[in-house]
Amino acid sequence: MAEGEEAAAPKSLQDFDSQKKSKLNKYACGCAILASMTSVLLGYDIGVMSGAAMYIQRDLKVSDVQIEILNGIINLYSPIGSYIAGRTSDWIGRRYTIVLSGVIFFTGAILMGFSPNYAFLMFGRFFAGVGIGFAFMIAPVYTSEVSPTSSRGFLTSLPEVFLNGGILVGYISNYAFSKLALHLGWRVMLGIGAIPSIFLAVAVLAMPESPRWLVANGRLGEAKKVLNKISDSKEEAQLRLADIKDTAGIPQDCNDDVVLVTKNVQGKGVWKELLLYPTPAVRHIFIASLGIHFFAQATGIDAVVLYSPRIFEKAGITSDTKKLLATVAVGFVKTFSILVATFLLDRVGRRVLLLSSVGGLVVSLLTLAVSLTIIDHSRTTLNWAIGLSIAAVLSFVGTFSIGSGPITWVYSSEIFPLRLRAQGVAIGAGVNRITSGVISMTFLSLSNAITIGGAFFLFAGIAVAAWIFHYTMLPETRGKTLEEIEGSFGNFERKPKASATAKEVNGKNNGNGQIELRNNG
């Protein structure tokens, strides 16, 4: 009888999820979709610039280096937005930070659309970059905090889904407006991005505030109402609230609607704990977040996405229309692949999917490097090599989008403890954008220096290093609550099965090849 009662009463969210698999919570899904749609802004900008850059160069008579700067500078501006968003989201909440990101990007899109010259265009890129930095940081944080544990991987991957959707829309926009007059076409391509930003800023007001932010600010009554809506059951809502209260330092027997939170969870001392005096677990988490963000971009995804028309031109396609159509195909493959990934994250797990994805990147990059090198050294047209190059580009974006792309944001947003989450994710987003900016601002020059084939051989080598890093440093997080995940980090030792709780992680050992840093003290 005692055993039956024990089995019937789940003591953690993990136990609850293993006993009952509920249907996807529609309210939580709706909130995640609205928040994730902010990623459309970055996606559209990346996609539209790949084609618009050709016409900007012809209209404004600018050099390749200026085009590199124009493409990549937005990624150096966006960390400014991510940093500000990390502080702002703790101050005014996750929801209003998303609204602010839409307003800032709207300003940038309008300025770019009416740019009379290169300098004014760069001014507009600053506002767009800051707005994108806001969205890039806050969307995965909010989504992870409203998602039930059973579907957190699926819902937290939605920002990457909409980012890829935005890229596809940007590619289609290039093709649709490419027939306009030279001075008008690229301005319409850039300016039309203001439309979704206003829609998102208004739509987000229908979302509730993050329950973790509400608890961190002592607003327990509101947090309970939100948790009852976004959880799969009342039992799960109570368990989630208990976990959050424990993290926030609020006694479990405190049930007031409004309480005074004395324990700091809102940013004071966070930077010191994160950077100067981290525990072994926090240090491991921080290194894992920086590494996964760095390698996601250092393997060259934005070089392919931003300069795909140039790559196809090097492969032997000369017509603007055909280059833009091939680029649209890249967008479709990326979008389809990310949709597949959303359904695999909570079934296969982050680790297996990530390692498989990066392995695919290595093969795709080596194939692309070899085929482009052959074309570069051939005096005749080699149709098979052209076809192989196009297939390798499609394979590269597909394998990236099915693992490395979405998992980077899912993983980094769920591994940080509540007290460090906003700032930790902001730093990760900053590393992501800076690395992307460096790649975007050097790819054409790098290709000219070591050939385009040599550039992709370099990316392939980086992908090999990425696989080794992911294998040795990233433990599985599938099936764990956000509060339990911290227990998976801290010391180098073999990791227990993915479904183990934090307590099991501290006391067991199995041989799945995972190395993790943890503190046994």
Side-chain angles (χ1 to χ4, degrees):
M1 180 70 179
E3 292 180 359
E5 290 176 354
E6 183 175 304
K11 293 182 173 57
S12 72
L13 281 174
Q14 197 167 7
D15 298 331
F16 176 80
D17 288 334
S18 65
Q19 291 182 32
K20 182 179 179 179
K21 296 293 184 182
S22 303
K23 293 182 179 179
L24 184 66
N25 184 293
K26 293 180 180 179
Y27 186 78
C29 185
C31 294
I33 287 174
L34 281 176
S36 301
M37 285 177 69
T38 57
S39 297
V40 169
L41 306 179
L42 174 60
Y44 181 82
D45 185 86
I46 292 173
V48 80
M49 281 303 299
S50 70
M54 296 191 302
Y55 303 108
I56 291 171
Q57 188 168 24
R58 295 171 191 172
D59 186 28
L60 302 182
K61 305 296 189 295
V62 295
S63 66
D64 276 353
V65 173
Q66 288 175 298
I67 290 297
E68 283 182 319
I69 294 173
L70 184 67
N71 277 332
I73 197 69
I74 201 166
N75 295 310
L76 302 186
Y77 291 149
S78 62
I80 299 173
S82 293
Y83 173 79
I84 297 172
R87 304 302 296 269
T88 304
S89 67
D90 282 342
W91 178 40
I92 65 173
R94 315 312 197 205
R95 184 175 61 158
Y96 287 115
T97 301
I98 295 175
V99 173
L100 187 57
S101 74
V103 173
I104 297 172
F105 185 85
F106 172 83
T107 303
I110 292 296
L111 291 174
M112 290 190 294
F114 287 96
S115 297
N117 51 47
Y118 183 81
F120 199 88
L121 183 57
M122 289 291 288
F123 180 62
R125 297 290 280 170
F126 173 77
F127 283 92
V130 171
I132 285 171
F134 264 73
F136 224 60
M137 176 266 163
I138 196 61
V141 169
Y142 178 87
T143 305
S144 69
E145 292 182 347
V146 300
S147 302
T149 304
S150 60
S151 55
R152 191 178 64 244
F154 167 73
L155 295 179
T156 312
S157 67
L158 289 178
E160 189 72 13
V161 173
F162 284 103
L163 184 143
N164 282 272
I167 291 174
L168 176 58
V169 173
Y171 287 158
I172 294 173
S173 175
N174 286 334
Y175 181 75
F177 299 118
S178 62
K179 305 301 181 183
L180 294 177
L182 180 61
H183 72 282
L184 181 62
W186 65 266
R187 289 182 170 89
V188 174
M189 294 175 190
L190 297 179
I192 204 170
I195 297 175
S197 63
I198 286 299
F199 167 77
L200 292 174
V202 174
V204 164
L205 295 175
M207 300 177 350
E209 184 51 80
S210 159
R212 284 180 170 80
W213 183 86
L214 291 171
V215 172
N217 285 269
R219 294 158 61 175
L220 293 184
E222 294 175 62
K224 291 175 187 176
K225 293 178 182 178
V226 174
L227 284 168
N228 284 332
K229 291 182 178 181
I230 64 175
S231 299
D232 293 331
S233 70
K234 289 186 177 180
E235 294 93 332
E236 183 186 2
Q238 292 170 356
L239 288 169
R240 292 176 72 178
L241 179 62
D243 280 340
I244 299 170
K245 285 167 70 175
D246 184 60
T247 303
I250 298 175
Q252 293 296 334
D253 58 357
C254 179
N255 294 309
D256 296 336
D257 286 344
V258 179
V259 300
L260 178 64
V261 179
T262 56
K263 182 178 178 180
N264 171 51
V265 293
Q266 294 176 271
K268 294 181 181 178
V270 165
W271 295 111
K272 185 181 292 185
E273 181 180 357
L274 193 60
L275 302 176
L276 299 180
Y277 307 109
T279 64
V282 169
R283 185 184 299 115
H284 186 181
I285 289 171
F286 191 52
I287 292 172
S289 176
L290 296 184
I292 196 172
H293 276 288
F294 170 77
F295 284 117
Q297 293 299 330
T299 48
I301 184 61
D302 275 2
V304 172
V305 173
L306 275 171
Y307 297 108
S308 51
R310 294 285 188 110
I311 296 171
F312 291 134
E313 183 177 345
K314 290 287 186 181
I317 301 175
T318 56
S319 165
D320 280 357
T321 299
K322 290 181 179 178
K323 283 186 286 188
L324 292 177
L325 283 174
T327 303
V328 171
V330 170
F332 272 112
V333 170
K334 274 182 66 63
T335 303
F336 175 77
S337 299
I338 190 67
L339 288 173
V340 173
T342 59
F343 294 101
L344 294 178
L345 277 168
D346 289 314
R347 292 173 172 81
V348 177
R350 284 61 153 158
R351 180 176 163 81
V352 172
L353 204 56
L354 181 61
L355 292 174
S356 301
S357 169
V358 177
L361 295 183
V362 173
V363 174
S364 301
L365 286 166
L366 287 174
T367 303
L368 182 58
V370 170
S371 60
L372 288 174
T373 300
I374 291 173
I375 292 171
D376 196 34
H377 288 80
S378 176
R379 296 181 179 178
T380 59
T381 301
L382 301 175
N383 290 327
W384 66 267
I386 294 174
L388 185 61
S389 297
I390 296 173
V393 169
L394 298 178
S395 172
F396 174 74
V397 298
T399 51
F400 177 87
S401 296
I402 209 168
S404 185
I407 291 174
T408 293
W409 296 102
V410 172
Y411 198 87
S412 64
S413 65
E414 68 186 2
I415 60 177
F416 282 101
L418 172 61
R419 65 189 182 279
L420 307 175
R421 186 166 299 140
Q423 287 80 5
V425 173
I427 293 175
V431 169
N432 186 291
R433 292 297 86 203
I434 289 172
T435 307
S436 174
V438 171
I439 297 295
S440 303
M441 294 171 72
T442 59
F443 178 71
L444 295 181
S445 299
L446 181 67
S447 299
N448 292 332
I450 63 174
T451 75
I452 192 167
F456 284 108
F457 275 121
L458 177 61
F459 290 146
I462 295 173
V464 172
W467 195 94
I468 295 171
F469 176 86
H470 297 337
Y471 182 80
T472 57
M473 293 295 291
L474 306 187
E476 180 60 76
T477 59
R478 178 174 65 100
K480 297 179 182 179
T481 69
L482 295 177
E483 282 66 36
E484 291 171 334
I485 286 173
E486 187 177 359
S488 298
F489 294 84
N491 255 347
F492 278 107
E493 67 178 48
R494 296 290 181 180
K495 180 181 182 294
K497 59 185 180 179
S499 62
T501 64
K503 289 184 179 179
E504 291 171 329
V505 169
N506 286 329
K508 290 186 181 180
N509 207 8
N510 82 349
N512 74 343
Q514 170 67 38
I515 298 174
E516 71 179 304
L517 286 166
R518 290 186 37 251
N519 183 7
N520 290 328

